Amino acid sequence: MNITRIISSFFLLLLIFISSKSKLFFNIVLINFLSFLCFWEFFRLLNFKTLQNINKFRVNNFFLTRSKITLTDFIQLILLQMVLVFYTFDKLFFSTLIFVIVLFLNTFKSNYKILSFVGIVYLIIPFISAFNFYDSQRSLLILVFLVAITTDIGGYLFGRSLNGPKIFPITSPNKTWAGFLGGIFLTTLVLSFFSDINLLSNYLWLPIIVLLSVICQLGDYIESFFKRFCNVKDSSNLIPGHGGVLDRIDGIILLLIVIFILNLTNFNFLENLKIF
């Protein structure tokens, strides 16, 4: 793990720490600013894919850096920020109305309308979830970040050390089964220190931890598949040593979606895990 990657990781952890202490900072940085960058990267990747189909030029990240979003994408980007702002101020009617307008604007796109629709829904749910959890279950947010960080570190360390057979060599050539299992192992090991349960009596504990780590890695594979579809290596070059924002929080995105859905069924992760 090079020095640039370490510095970038430290900076991201610092942002998370400050956000846990200040709701205003959390809303501005981790909700509005981060979501803006995620949607910007997503629209730019789709636009880049469209340009490939039209111009047939050779694909590489240099061209992605020069790629711009369309006017429709820019309007959607601004409206999506309004959706989140209205939502954080509990103006659900206006938030929903603007979101419907955003989805309607997809009908004016020339290519990948359905993919754009799915991507917008896929990316906005985590930020709504994060805001909800910050107010009601902040410990659940900490759990999500902890799972994502330990899974990523475990996957990197075990994957680089042991190598071995690849999981998805076409879409994720650097992902190995050793890294996959290493991510699960380290997540289980670290979370066991934060848990106050009898592992022999609570049969749900281990499956839940494994499930969360697998979901986190699945989010990584989904983003890798999308990048492969767009023929690029990174979603952008915003974060030195990591690539883009989507590259950094791909696992967190899917984790927040799944936990948000399960939370609607009144499944209490923290109670079953007895963490924090």
Side-chain angles (χ1 to χ4, degrees), residues 30-49:
L30 289 193
I31 298 294
N32 296 112
F33 183 63
L34 210 57
S35 66
F36 180 89
L37 294 177
C38 284
F39 283 115
W40 172 73
E41 290 182 349
F42 173 72
F43 287 136
R44 197 171 64 146
L45 285 169
L46 269 187
N47 185 56
F48 181 61
K49 178 64 177 177

Side-chain angles (χ1 to χ4, degrees), residues 146-159 167 176-192 205-218 221:
L146 193 58
V147 168
I149 291 171
T150 53
T151 297
D152 181 63
I153 294 175
Y156 181 85
L157 293 178
F158 283 84
I167 299 181
T176 64
W177 283 104
F180 174 78
L181 296 176
I184 295 174
F185 172 77
L186 186 61
T187 301
T188 304
L189 183 65
V190 171
L191 289 185
S192 66
W205 189 87
L206 184 59
I208 291 175
I209 296 301
V210 172
L211 175 64
L212 294 179
S213 183
V214 169
I215 290 171
C216 183
Q217 297 187 65
L218 181 60
Y221 299 141

Side-chain angles (χ1 to χ4, degrees), residues 42-108:
F42 173 72
F43 287 136
R44 197 171 64 146
L45 285 169
L46 269 187
N47 185 56
F48 181 61
K49 178 64 177 177
T50 301
L51 290 176
Q52 292 177 54
N53 291 341
I54 295 174
N55 297 328
K56 304 296 183 183
F57 57 70
R58 186 181 176 189
V59 178
N60 59 40
N61 282 354
F62 171 73
F63 284 115
L64 173 62
T65 302
R66 299 175 62 189
S67 175
K68 298 179 181 179
I69 63 176
T70 65
L71 177 61
T72 301
D73 293 334
F74 181 76
I75 295 173
Q76 286 182 302
L77 191 58
I78 298 302
L79 290 177
L80 283 166
Q81 293 307 300
M82 293 175 62
V83 170
L84 292 172
V85 169
F86 277 118
Y87 188 86
T88 56
F89 283 99
D90 203 27
K91 306 294 183 181
L92 299 183
F93 173 78
F94 293 106
S95 181
T96 304
L97 178 62
I98 296 173
F99 188 64
V100 171
I101 295 174
V102 170
L103 298 181
F104 173 73
L105 287 175
N106 275 310
T107 61
F108 295 96

